[in-house]
Amino acid sequence: MHIQIQCCGIVLMLVLFYFYMRQKRISLDTQRAFLGVFWATFICIIMDILSIGVIQYRHVFTEPVAKFVAKTYLVTLLGVAFSALSYMCVDIYTKKECYRKQMGVYLLMTLAGIAGIYAVPLYYQYTNDGADVKYTYGPSVYVTYGMALLFFVRILYLLRKEKDKINSRRREAVYLWLFVWVAASQVQFMYTDILIVAFAGAIGIMVLYLKLENPETNLDRSTGLFNSGAFYQYTRQLFAKDQDFSIFAIIFENTAYQHVSLDKRAFIRMQIVEYLLRIEDAYSFKNAEDEYLIVFPNMETAKKRVEDIQRRFASGWGEYNGDTVKPCWLYLPHANIVNQAEILLYLIRYIRHDEKTFTENRFHCVEKDSVDKIHREREVVQLILDAMENDRIEVFYQPIFSTSERSITSAEALVRIRDRDGKIVPPGVFIDTAEKSGMILKLGAVVFEKVCRFITKYPLERFGMQYIEINLSVIQCGYEHLAQDYIDIMERYKIDPKYINLEITESASTNAKKTLLNNMEDLISYGVRFSLDDFGTGQSNLNYIVDMPVNIVKFDRSMTNAYFENGKAKHVMEAAIHMIHGMNLEIVSEGIETKEQYETMEDLGISHIQGYYFSKPLPEDEFIRFLEDSLRQNRDVG
Ligand code: C2E
Ligand code: MG
Ligand code: MG
């Protein structure tokens, strides 16, 4: 029996251990479990060497001692299998109780295995000349291999069953590790005098180290801080343990540096990083080029440190005083108001980009209400995605009455979502979120296509209708390809563009206005007409009507209501009507609910009336029935 191979294994492991310990590490459960496997394998190799030695000198140590040591080596093999299972479970069962429950069962099995190994006999196989022991065999060995096999099968099973919880890199590394073990035991089985199983353990550890457990993969190379992957792993672990903790984010928006040239910024940044590396009782992560996250496992410490950090920044860096660099701070005293690492990152991004006051206020303390808002928004995003995927976007139509023709001559298409329970969700719930997330482009196109389909199915003229009004969001108006996309859809459905009237609202930025004008130009030359929606909400002014090539101005419900409640508003509206008519544009008055309101609007010379007085927005088939009924009534009256 030779021990050279085992000695190589020991050297290999010591080298790995040296590198492992030298690196900056984060306190992760997976790394602790890895150390468990490491030490189990190390002890196993040592016991292998020891048992070979004791068997060789069994005449000195006596037979029972030699057998005891040989059996203890077998026990350590079981220990490796047990630690391997624990390494797998740490990843799968992130909740402490589940992990403990699983490991409790495996521990009992291991203890039973150990009892078995010591209880049953172990035999020697001698070399041909009978002078030396070649290897050991017998029931004790079979119990070990049987149990180890059981554990390995369990690992394979978990790898397959829980594959969603284990990332592919980890799965691949564990497969490779198992393969090394199985291949080595096969070789040892066939060539019984080559004792390489324990050495294979060392190789396996090297595989795990290189592929998964090298702490360097958690570091950001340019700064030496932990990277965003490590942040994700670490916070995921804290959430799984239901441990509350604090996060302090330091964010360098463009406004952070006052008149500092780029090379000086690099210098200041390095000083800041040096400082972050030294913060005690916390881990510092670089999440993005301009964003650093400090995680405090202890919330009390966090409170104090957050003030220290701000004070440190205020004192300046080298020759630059505290006014040179003014980052924005985002403080989450209770990070577990969210419950997932992904949501945590989403939250930070959301607050950075959404809160208009972010750069003005500089210091933001994030409490539960912000998180609730984000949760609601995520739910709405899900609602929209789900509705788009499952064709649950519906278009309702609200009739518009022409006072001159004394009939319904147009309608406004208004989007609705039918949720999973069949309930109708109004646009007020989801339009904002659709705009913020950019989904409005797709949603708008879906609505437009549905209206085109409606027009092909029910030729408008047959129902005394002239056109349908369709809302455009400001985001759609600022989208360069809008005109072409809509023209493509109309071509596909062979729609005469005179049936389409698009409603725009006032855009905030001049850039968006430019794109909108280009889009309008293309669509108008194709034959589409436009309305200006929401007039009188403060979103529209008379200048805008002058600038925009619209045919219709829609008075918002708030404006028509104000007319009846407020003397001043009356004059404003009358003046507006006068001017709009002077520009040769038509007016639609929205939100008309009573006969009195209707008659007043008619007296004011408004050509089109929309409101509950005629009808609420209706689903397609009800709307068609409504049109048929009103045609019939008109005919009867006529
Ligand atoms: P809007 O374009 O100003 O549409 C008129 C809104 O006033 C509709 O609400 C309509 O149901 C409501 N309304 C009409 N008459 C009356 C009335 O007499 N009394 C009352 N209380 N309300 C009345 P809805 O359908 O909830 O839509 C709200 C807003 O959502 C729309 O305001 C529009 O800005 C937006 N929206 C609706 N559909 C779409 C769409 O397909 N795309 C885009 N981008 N926005 C849409
Ligand atoms: Mg509208
Ligand atoms: Mg409107």
Side-chain angles (χ1 to χ4, degrees):
M1 283 168 126
H2 306 291
I3 59 163
Q4 290 90 330
I5 302 178
Q6 281 78 353
C7 289
C8 288
I10 297 242
V11 171
L12 180 67
M13 291 195 70
L14 287 175
V15 172
L16 284 181
F17 189 67
Y18 169 74
F19 281 114
Y20 186 82
M21 291 315 282
R22 247 175 44 130
Q23 278 154 354
K24 195 167 114 117
R25 274 160 296 127
I26 201 163
S27 160
L28 291 174
D29 288 345
T30 44
Q31 294 200 340
R32 268 194 288 276
F34 170 70
L35 278 182
V37 184
F38 182 95
W39 287 120
T41 311
F42 190 78
I43 294 169
C44 178
I45 302 176
I46 297 277
M47 283 312 298
D48 195 10
I49 297 173
L50 213 64
S51 73
I52 292 170
V54 174
I55 289 173
Q56 215 137 38
Y57 294 97
R58 60 193 178 283
H59 52 278
V60 181
F61 290 102
T62 73
E63 196 59 44
V65 171
K67 290 245 162 114
F68 177 79
V69 174
K71 284 180 176 184
T72 307
Y73 160 63
L74 295 177
V75 165
T76 60
L77 269 178
L78 261 195
V80 173
F82 175 78
S83 66
L85 250 176
S86 143
Y87 181 67
M88 288 298 312
C89 290
V90 135
D91 222 25
I92 298 169
Y93 305 103
T94 41
K95 289 258 174 260
K96 215 173 192 166
E97 313 84 67
C98 302
Y99 173 74
R100 285 212 176 124
K101 219 158 115 191
Q102 285 283 327
M103 290 319 295
V105 175
Y106 303 140
L107 184 66
L108 282 179
M109 287 169 70
T110 310
L111 290 176
I114 292 173
I117 290 170
Y118 284 121
V120 294
L122 178 74
Y123 306 120
Y124 299 135
Q125 174 69 46
Y126 293 93
T127 46
N128 288 345
D129 55 9
D132 214 347
V133 173
K134 207 169 154 195
Y135 59 90
T136 54
Y137 72 100
S140 195
V141 175
Y142 305 143
V143 168
T144 312
Y145 282 152
M147 287 299 286
L149 189 69
L150 212 65
F151 281 9
F152 278 19
V153 169
R154 178 72 189 163
I155 292 176
L156 284 177
Y157 171 77
L158 286 175
L159 278 171
R160 286 188 70 83
K161 185 176 153 242
E162 308 282 356
K163 63 172 179 292
D164 296 341
K165 293 186 190 160
I166 313 167
N167 72 44
S168 57
R169 257 174 75 82
R170 186 166 287 273
R171 272 207 315 274
E172 206 182 290
V174 176
Y175 274 129
L176 198 62
W177 175 32
L178 291 185
F179 173 78
V180 170
W181 271 98
V182 172
S185 39
Q186 276 302 308
V187 171
Q188 187 163 323
F189 186 72
M190 287 189 291
Y191 307 97
T192 42
D193 47 350
I194 307 179
L195 304 179
I196 59 164
V197 168
F199 178 70
I203 298 283
I205 291 291
M206 191 175 75
V207 169
L208 287 187
Y209 175 85
L210 292 179
K211 282 198 76 94
L212 294 177
E213 301 297 344
N214 183 351
E216 213 165 293
T217 54
N218 286 332
L219 293 181
D220 172 69
R221 281 182 189 271
S222 64
T223 57
L225 295 166
F226 291 112
N227 58 23
S228 52
F231 175 79
Y232 178 78
Q233 284 185 64
Y234 183 56
T235 50
R236 181 173 166 244
Q237 179 178 303
L238 294 176
F239 285 128
K241 287 182 179 161
D242 278 334
Q243 182 184 331
D244 203 356
F245 59 103
S246 304
I247 295 182
F248 190 49
I250 306 175
I251 295 160
F252 297 90
E253 298 274 356
N254 273 341
T255 54
Y257 294 92
Q258 306 289 326
H259 323 295
V260 184
S261 64
L262 282 177
D263 54 332
K264 284 179 189 155
R265 281 186 196 192
F267 165 77
I268 296 176
R269 208 164 270 195
M270 271 339 281
Q271 296 239 329
I272 292 173
V273 166
E274 293 279 314
Y275 168 67
L276 295 180
L277 282 166
R278 286 196 309 269
I279 293 177
E280 284 172 17
D281 309 316
Y283 293 113
S284 299
F285 301 82
K286 181 180 166 198
N287 190 41
E289 210 41 60
D290 61 351
E291 188 176 293
Y292 298 88
L293 305 173
I294 306 170
V295 176
F296 296 91
N298 182 312
M299 293 184 301
E300 285 308 310
T301 320
K303 247 187 243 165
K304 204 175 139 303
R305 291 277 189 278
V306 161
E307 283 166 18
D308 291 347
I309 294 170
Q310 285 179 286
R311 227 175 289 129
R312 175 65 192 86
F313 271 75
S315 72
W317 306 96
E319 58 191 277
Y320 304 98
N321 68 25
D323 287 333
T324 327
V325 187
K326 279 188 168 168
C328 295
W329 318 96
L330 214 155
Y331 178 36
L332 268 100
H334 298 278
N336 77 348
I337 44 177
V338 300
N339 50 11
Q340 274 176 35
E342 293 92 337
I343 297 184
L344 197 59
L345 289 172
Y346 180 84
L347 174 92
I348 295 171
R349 240 176 301 135
Y350 180 91
I351 294 176
R352 274 190 68 168
H353 297 295
D354 190 58
E355 301 233 329
K356 291 187 189 71
T357 49
F358 185 70
T359 45
E360 285 164 25
N361 282 355
R362 300 223 166 258
F363 185 90
H364 290 261
C365 187
V366 185
E367 300 286 359
K368 198 162 178 333
D369 49 348
S370 315
V371 179
D372 290 345
K373 194 169 136 208
I374 287 168
H375 274 303
R376 276 197 302 275
E377 211 156 90
R378 277 174 76 95
E379 273 167 24
V380 173
V381 167
Q382 210 43 52
L383 173 85
I384 304 171
L385 283 175
D386 196 43
M388 286 204 283
E389 256 171 41
N390 299 298
D391 194 21
R392 279 195 271 101
I393 306 283
E394 294 189 14
V395 179
F396 279 32
Y397 295 87
Q398 187 175 31
I400 299 175
F401 183 80
S402 158
T403 49
S404 57
E405 312 230 353
R406 311 221 59 77
S407 65
I408 305 294
T409 54
S410 59
E412 178 171 2
L414 293 156
V415 67
R416 304 285 184 264
I417 282 180
R418 195 170 288 277
D419 70 10
R420 279 170 182 268
D421 306 325
K423 281 206 219 76
I424 289 292
V425 185
V429 174
F430 57 84
I431 290 286
D432 265 3
T433 308
E435 287 182 338
K436 250 188 239 160
S437 61
M439 283 191 287
I440 192 73
L441 293 181
K442 175 106 188 283
L443 185 69
V446 170
V447 171
F448 189 70
E449 196 166 338
K450 287 198 180 242
V451 174
C452 289
R453 203 176 299 152
F454 172 80
I455 297 174
T456 10
K457 195 168 163 196
Y458 303 104
L460 295 185
E461 271 134 8
R462 194 190 297 162
F463 299 90
M465 296 264 294
Q466 295 165 1
Y467 57 88
I468 304 273
E469 298 189 348
I470 305 155
N471 289 283
L472 282 183
S473 138
V474 275
I475 307 290
Q476 287 179 285
C477 296
Y479 171 57
E480 283 169 33
H481 303 291
L482 177 88
Q484 197 49 53
D485 286 1
Y486 274 29
I487 290 172
D488 288 348
I489 297 175
M490 285 184 278
E491 305 247 289
R492 199 164 354 117
Y493 284 89
K494 300 193 175 60
I495 297 288
D496 188 333
K498 70 175 182 189
Y499 296 133
I500 303 291
N501 181 300
L502 296 174
E503 292 187 2
I504 56 160
T505 45
E506 191 168 342
S507 314
S509 77
T510 40
N511 223 355
K513 194 172 161 186
K514 231 191 231 159
T515 319
L516 167 62
L517 274 169
N518 289 341
N519 277 323
M520 286 177 84
E521 219 170 84
D522 291 352
L523 284 160
I524 288 170
S525 52
Y526 186 74
V528 170
R529 300 195 327 152
F530 282 85
S531 303
L532 181 70
D533 201 0
D534 295 347
F535 186 80
T537 54
Q539 296 297 323
S540 317
N541 58 52
L542 281 167
N543 272 347
Y544 209 77
I545 308 182
V546 177
D547 290 349
M548 288 292 157
V550 292
N551 300 86
I552 301 172
V553 176
K554 297 192 77 175
F555 283 1
D556 191 70
R557 191 166 79 95
S558 56
M559 184 158 168
T560 24
N561 282 354
Y563 183 88
F564 295 97
E565 286 157 14
N566 179 329
K568 272 192 197 161
K570 222 175 208 167
H571 294 296
V572 174
M573 187 149 139
E574 280 166 6
I577 294 172
H578 185 71
M579 277 192 270
I580 293 166
H581 280 159
M583 286 187 261
N584 248 341
L585 306 177
E586 291 179 352
I587 298 174
V588 177
S589 201
E590 283 187 316
I592 301 302
E593 295 185 351
T594 63
K595 191 161 189 279
E596 184 211 347
Q597 288 178 336
Y598 163 72
E599 283 167 357
T600 315
M601 290 300 132
E602 198 181 7
D603 290 347
L604 283 169
I606 287 179
S607 56
H608 292 84
I609 314 278
Q610 176 182 354
Y612 292 176
Y613 176 60
F614 291 101
S615 165
K616 288 193 169 182
L618 301 169
E620 200 175 287
D621 45 350
E622 279 181 46
F623 174 59
I624 288 297
R625 243 176 285 138
F626 177 88
L627 288 179
E628 285 168 345
D629 286 349
S630 52
L631 272 183
R632 207 172 302 125
Q633 277 166 20
N634 272 0
R635 233 179 286 129
D636 294 348
V637 173

